[in-house]
Amino acid sequence: MSVILVAALLAAAPLQAVAQDGPRGSDRRPSREQQQQRPERPQMSSAEAQRIAQSRAGDARFVGYRGFQNGSHVFTFERDGRVFNVSVDASR
């Protein structure tokens, strides 16, 4: 009896998972109207951002790239023993 109960529970488990996923093949992308309301801003490459950061830092020595944080590329520089970051907004 318990074997039949376990088999029935195992057979029902995949059916519940399919029901939770929703219909297969549904399109989750935003509609064209939603895309037009929210235009994307072009993103700047890290290489282009580094050139801008280097020009802002002047004669400072480039130390490294800190990554992409809050929509900006962040670079680290050093001058006269002082370390500082330069952020460049990634939108154009």
Side-chain angles (χ1 to χ4, degrees), residues 50-68:
Q50 183 175 350
R51 286 191 294 273
I52 294 169
Q54 186 69 58
S55 69
R56 291 180 185 172
D59 63 345
R61 181 179 67 89
F62 174 74
V63 175
Y65 178 60
R66 302 281 309 222
F68 191 76

Side-chain angles (χ1 to χ4, degrees), residues 43-51 73 75 90 92:
Q43 296 293 307
M44 182 182 305
S45 70
S46 61
E48 186 176 356
Q50 183 175 350
R51 286 191 294 273
H73 295 283
F75 302 91
R92 295 182 186 205

Side-chain angles (χ1 to χ4, degrees), residues 27-80:
D27 191 9
R28 293 184 179 152
R29 291 178 288 164
S31 69
R32 285 186 181 213
E33 292 172 0
Q34 289 173 337
Q35 288 177 348
Q36 290 173 353
Q37 292 174 356
R38 181 176 42 101
E40 287 189 30
R41 299 183 334 198
Q43 296 293 307
M44 182 182 305
S45 70
S46 61
E48 186 176 356
Q50 183 175 350
R51 286 191 294 273
I52 294 169
Q54 186 69 58
S55 69
R56 291 180 185 172
D59 63 345
R61 181 179 67 89
F62 174 74
V63 175
Y65 178 60
R66 302 281 309 222
F68 191 76
Q69 301 169 2
N70 300 322
S72 296
H73 295 283
V74 181
F75 302 91
T76 302
F77 294 89
E78 182 268 330
R79 180 188 311 128
D80 300 327

